Amino acid sequence: MEALLACLIGLMFAAALYLMLSGSLVKFVFGFTLIGNAVNLLIFTAGRLRHVQPPLIPPNRTGLTHAVSNALPQALILTAIVIGFAVVSFAAVLVHRVIDTTGTDDVDEMRSTE
């Protein structure tokens, strides 16, 4: 399972970098969102996908009776999702303003009109 997720994360990073380097501001925002999701998936995968080693055990027991998941990667991912949404929303507003001002979203055309 980890190998499949590692391949998916690599594919997401490659697609995000392709979008971010394409020269269009709208594609850059989509690439930025995709790379944020790839990082979230990477954190989730690094937090162990197995349920055999619980992260917390009560002091009066030597093990748990049911499977639990690691809470730290989940908390980090939840925080990253909220912050990523705010940053992408702000970037989308900035891209909208740039397109209204310059009339294009192509970076090369913006340089030639200066």
Side-chain angles (χ1 to χ4, degrees), residues 9-40 84 87-88 91-92 95 105:
I9 292 167
L11 185 68
M12 288 174 70
F13 268 106
L17 286 176
Y18 174 77
L19 287 172
M20 292 174 79
L21 295 175
S22 68
S24 171
L25 290 178
V26 175
K27 289 181 182 178
F28 179 84
V29 172
F30 284 129
F32 188 75
T33 304
L34 189 60
I35 208 164
N37 290 332
V39 169
N40 289 341
V87 170
V88 168
V95 166
D105 72 332

Side-chain angles (χ1 to χ4, degrees), residues 25 29 87-101 110:
L25 290 178
V29 172
V87 170
V88 168
S89 299
F90 182 69
V93 169
L94 286 179
V95 166
H96 185 319
R97 178 73 175 143
V98 167
I99 291 173
D100 282 346
T101 303
M110 284 183 215

Side-chain angles (χ1 to χ4, degrees), residues 7-76:
C7 291
L8 179 65
I9 292 167
L11 185 68
M12 288 174 70
F13 268 106
L17 286 176
Y18 174 77
L19 287 172
M20 292 174 79
L21 295 175
S22 68
S24 171
L25 290 178
V26 175
K27 289 181 182 178
F28 179 84
V29 172
F30 284 129
F32 188 75
T33 304
L34 189 60
I35 208 164
N37 290 332
V39 169
N40 289 341
L41 191 59
L42 179 67
I43 292 171
F44 176 73
T45 306
R48 272 194 329 241
L49 299 176
R50 299 183 308 266
H51 295 296
V52 294
Q53 298 174 344
L56 300 172
I57 298 175
N60 58 354
R61 293 191 180 178
T62 58
L64 294 175
T65 58
H66 60 285
V68 296
S69 60
N70 195 350
L72 181 63
Q74 293 176 9
L76 289 174

